[in-house]
Amino acid sequence: GMPEPGVEIEHQRWICEVQASETVEGKIYFYDKNPIEVFGEDNLISSMTIMSVPFDAVSDSIIESEHPDIVVRHDHSRRERRLNSVTGVHKLLIVRAIDTVNNNSPSYWKAQLRQFFFDDSANLKTYLRDCSGNQLNIIPATGPQVTNGMINIFINRSFQNQNWSTIGEWVNTELAKIPGLSYTTKAVVIPDGVNFESAAAWATMGGDTMWIQNQHCFKPAIQVHEYGHLLGERHSGKDNMSYADDTGFMGNKVPWTDEGVKMCFNAAKTWNFGWFTQYHKQINPNSSSLSIELVGIDDVVKNRAGQKKLVSKVIGDENTFYLMFNRKKGINGGVVGSRNKVVIVQQNGEGRDSIWRAALGHGDKWIYNNFGSTGKNLVVENCYIDYRNSDSLPDTAKVLIYIQGRDNLSCGSTPEPTCQDKPQWKDIAGDGCSWYGQNDSRCEQLGNTSGTNGFTANEACCVCEGGDITNDNGGNNNNSDGNTNNGGGNSGGNSNGSGSGGNTCTDEKGWNNKPWYDSGGSQFNCDWYQRNANACYFFGNKYKNMDMTANQACCACK
C-alpha cells in the first residue's frame, strides 16, 4: 500500500490468489494477521511462496494464519512465470467500480481516466516508458465492454462500510463473467468513502491488480508506486521509516499532484528491474577493489553513457548494497532528495524493502564496519563529480570501492564543482533564488513552482540544488572506460579535447533519433525557435512533443 507522506502503515497486507486452474477462479484471500510473524520473513517470498490451506482454516475469505495444517513451500521457477515481465507491452485495464445500490461511482468518467493514465503529459505510461528507456510500454486493454482501456463494472451490492479488498473480490467475480477481455494488469478505481486502511492505494506484489481511491487516481506518483509493486518490488525506506526514501518512486516523498515530478527508481530497484543490465557492475570487495565512473539515468537513456556504468552492486556481506549517481537532470530532473549525489541503498534480496544508507557529495566517504565479518571496513568514496553540461557527454561521478587498510585507493586531484543560479530567474510571485535561500523549507515546499522560462526553483536555484553546475577539472577528459579493478584498467574512450568549458551545444533528438519539433507541427522545430526572437520566451515551455519542450530540446532556448 501507499500511505500519505509522513504516515506509516502498520504492516503490508499479504494476499493469497487461487491459481486459475483451481476450482475457485479469481478468489482473493487475506490473513487474519501479518503472516511474517507466524512463518518468518525468510519463509515468505512474494509470488514464489505456495501455501496449502485446509478448508477449515478459511472463514469468509480470511485465513487463520496459525492453523497447524497449513503447509508452506517455495517454487523458485514460479517467479519467472508469475511476475509480469518488466519489458515489452503491458495492456492495462482501468476498472470503474460502481455501487448500484447507493448509486455510488468514481467521480471521474472514462475519458478523464484515460487522460490520467495514458494521455497526460505526466502519467503512468510516460514515467514507465522513460524510466525503462522505452523498454516497458503501457497501452490500453481491449475486449468486450472496454472503451479505450476503460470498463464500467456494476455491482449490485452496497460499498458502504466495506473494505477495499472485499470490493476488489466483487470486481473480480464480475470480470470473470466477461469472456474475451485482453489485459496484462488492471487498476480498479473505487469510489471515495471505502475503507482503504490509511492508504491511498494497494497492489499485489508481482500480481496483476492495483486498487486506487477515486480521490487519488489522477496522481502519477501513486500510479507508478503501485505499478512498481506489480513489477515485483517493495518499498524504499529511510531513517527507520518504510516509505521515506526520497530518491525514487517506491518511497512516498514525491509530490501528490496531477503534474507529478520527473524522477525514477533508486539503485536497488533499477538493478532488479533489469532495464539497463549493460550498465551494471557487480563487485565483491573481499576479492578486489574498484574505481568506477557512474552516470545518471538520463545520460543512459539518451545514449550518452558510453562504457560508463549506471548502477554498482556490492556483494560479499550479509547485506547487499547498491550505488547510483542520482543526477538531477532530464527524466530525473525533479528528484526530491539527495540530488547530484552518489546514493547508497541496501536491499537484501530481490523483491525486498530497500533502505537508504548514505548520499555522498563531492569528496565524501561512507564507511561500513566489519564488512563480510572480516574485521575490516568497507569504504565507498565519491572522489568528485565531473559536470559536462553537454548534449553529447555524460556527467560522471568517480567512485572508489575498497577495503580499508588493504586496497587503499586514491582519488588524485578532485576538482571542486561550482554552481550558478539561472540568470534573472524569478518564480510566478516575482521572488528570486535569494528568497528561497532565506528559509530552509522553501525549496521543499515551493520549489516545484514554475517561473522564468518554465524552470522551477529546484531547477534554477543553487540553494535548491538546481542551477548550472560546472567544475574546473584542468582539462581532465576522463578518457577511461570508467571501470578500474585494483587500480588498473584500460584507457581509451572519447575526448572532447577541451575540458568542461569548450563544449558546443547540439539540439536534442526525439524518438527514433528524429529531429525534434513541438506539438504544433514539424515547421516549429529548433531552427524556427532560433530564427524567431522571443519564441523561446513565449513558447519555450509549451507545446511539449516527444516528451520535450523547446526549452529542453533546443540550444537556442537553453
Side-chain angles (χ1 to χ4, degrees), residues 125-344:
K125 175 184 176 179
T126 57
Y127 279 121
L128 290 179
R129 179 198 66 201
D130 292 348
C131 292
S132 70
N134 209 29
Q135 295 182 73
L136 177 59
N137 291 287
I138 310 298
I139 66 172
T142 57
Q145 304 179 34
V146 178
T147 304
N148 294 323
M150 315 291 139
I151 189 170
N152 289 329
I153 292 297
F154 300 94
I155 299 174
N156 191 30
R157 299 192 189 193
S158 173
F159 290 2
Q160 188 174 357
N161 298 322
Q162 293 292 344
N163 186 277
W164 63 271
S165 60
T166 300
I167 297 170
E169 184 177 326
W170 294 345
V171 167
N172 282 351
T173 299
E174 296 303 315
L175 287 174
K177 299 176 182 177
I178 307 174
L181 291 175
S182 178
Y183 64 91
T184 312
T185 53
K186 63 180 183 288
V188 181
V189 181
I190 297 177
D192 297 329
V194 171
N195 180 15
F196 261 76
E197 304 176 67
S198 301
W202 292 86
T204 50
M205 271 283 298
D208 65 2
T209 307
M210 53 182 174
W211 302 266
I212 307 180
Q213 288 190 64
N214 170 76
Q215 63 178 311
H216 296 301
C217 68
F218 60 88
K219 301 171 182 176
I222 296 172
Q223 297 172 5
V224 180
H225 177 100
E226 298 304 331
Y227 216 91
H229 290 319
L230 300 188
L231 297 177
E233 283 298 323
R234 291 191 195 172
H235 296 127
S236 301
K238 180 181 180 181
D239 298 333
N240 298 316
M241 295 183 66
S242 300
Y243 302 85
D245 183 359
D246 51 8
T247 66
F249 276 117
M250 299 315 291
N252 70 347
K253 295 300 183 181
V254 184
W256 283 27
T257 63
D258 183 32
E259 295 81 12
V261 294
K262 288 189 174 184
M263 62 186 292
C264 290
F265 300 91
N266 72 16
K269 311 305 182 186
T270 299
W271 180 287
N272 290 334
F273 287 145
W275 291 319
F276 308 103
T277 54
Q278 68 271 38
Y279 299 104
H280 289 185
K281 182 69 174 181
Q282 180 171 289
I283 177 179
N284 184 342
N286 294 318
S287 303
S288 63
S289 56
L290 179 67
S291 174
I292 186 172
E293 287 182 315
L294 297 176
V295 298
I297 191 169
D298 188 71
D299 281 327
V300 169
V301 300
K302 299 287 178 57
N303 296 316
R304 292 189 285 251
Q307 297 300 310
K308 297 175 173 64
K309 300 302 180 183
L310 174 65
V311 191
S312 181
K313 179 179 181 181
V314 180
I315 62 172
D317 185 79
E318 62 180 356
N319 296 317
T320 301
F321 304 103
Y322 299 80
L323 286 67
M324 193 169 177
F325 178 26
N326 190 35
R327 180 69 172 104
K328 179 180 177 288
K329 171 174 149 180
I331 64 171
N332 200 48
V335 64
V336 176
S338 303
R339 305 179 185 113
N340 300 320
K341 295 181 179 179
V342 174
V343 178
I344 303 170

Side-chain angles (χ1 to χ4, degrees), residues 292-523:
I292 186 172
E293 287 182 315
L294 297 176
V295 298
I297 191 169
D298 188 71
D299 281 327
V300 169
V301 300
K302 299 287 178 57
N303 296 316
R304 292 189 285 251
Q307 297 300 310
K308 297 175 173 64
K309 300 302 180 183
L310 174 65
V311 191
S312 181
K313 179 179 181 181
V314 180
I315 62 172
D317 185 79
E318 62 180 356
N319 296 317
T320 301
F321 304 103
Y322 299 80
L323 286 67
M324 193 169 177
F325 178 26
N326 190 35
R327 180 69 172 104
K328 179 180 177 288
K329 171 174 149 180
I331 64 171
N332 200 48
V335 64
V336 176
S338 303
R339 305 179 185 113
N340 300 320
K341 295 181 179 179
V342 174
V343 178
I344 303 170
V345 298
Q346 172 188 325
Q347 182 167 324
N348 298 336
E350 189 173 349
R352 303 288 192 185
D353 289 333
S354 65
I355 304 170
W356 182 99
R357 296 298 300 266
L360 307 181
H362 174 91
D364 290 341
K365 289 182 180 180
W366 179 69
I367 298 177
Y368 177 77
N369 296 328
N370 194 26
F371 183 81
S373 300
T374 61
K376 296 184 179 297
N377 300 333
L378 171 70
V379 178
V380 179
E381 183 174 1
N382 180 11
C383 293
Y384 59 82
I385 298 172
D386 186 4
Y387 294 100
R388 292 306 183 97
N389 296 309
S390 166
D391 293 324
S392 59
L393 296 172
D395 303 321
T396 59
K398 181 179 179 180
V399 178
L400 306 180
I401 305 171
Y402 59 92
I403 296 297
Q404 193 174 45
R406 189 197 69 191
D407 309 315
N408 288 342
L409 301 183
S410 174
C411 288
S413 62
T414 56
E416 188 74 34
T418 60
C419 182
Q420 291 184 333
D421 296 332
K422 296 283 186 186
Q424 299 179 337
W425 181 89
K426 294 184 181 298
D427 65 16
I428 57 175
D431 293 312
C433 292
S434 60
W435 181 83
Y436 282 84
Q438 294 171 12
N439 189 305
D440 291 341
S441 65
R442 288 176 178 172
C443 292
E444 180 178 354
Q445 295 176 358
L446 303 171
N448 285 311
T449 303
S450 292
T452 305
N453 292 329
F455 291 111
T456 66
N458 286 337
E459 295 170 324
C461 302
C462 296
V463 69
C464 298
E465 299 182 52
D468 294 323
I469 308 173
T470 59
N471 55 300
D472 179 9
N473 60 8
N476 174 23
N477 292 315
N478 285 333
N479 291 333
S480 72
D481 66 356
N483 307 296
T484 307
N485 287 298
N486 292 322
N490 300 318
S491 62
N494 298 318
S495 168
N496 69 357
S498 60
S500 62
N503 296 318
T504 59
C505 181
T506 303
D507 295 330
E508 296 282 355
K509 299 291 186 181
W511 301 118
N512 299 319
N513 211 35
K514 293 181 179 179
W516 178 89
Y517 52 86
D518 73 24
S519 60
S522 58
Q523 69 271 32

Side-chain angles (χ1 to χ4, degrees), residues 15-36:
I15 299 174
C16 282
E17 299 185 48
V18 174
Q19 297 180 48
S21 60
E22 299 185 14
T23 305
V24 185
E25 296 188 7
K27 187 75 172 177
I28 298 176
Y29 296 93
F30 293 86
Y31 278 94
D32 57 356
K33 62 173 62 176
N34 185 356
I36 289 179

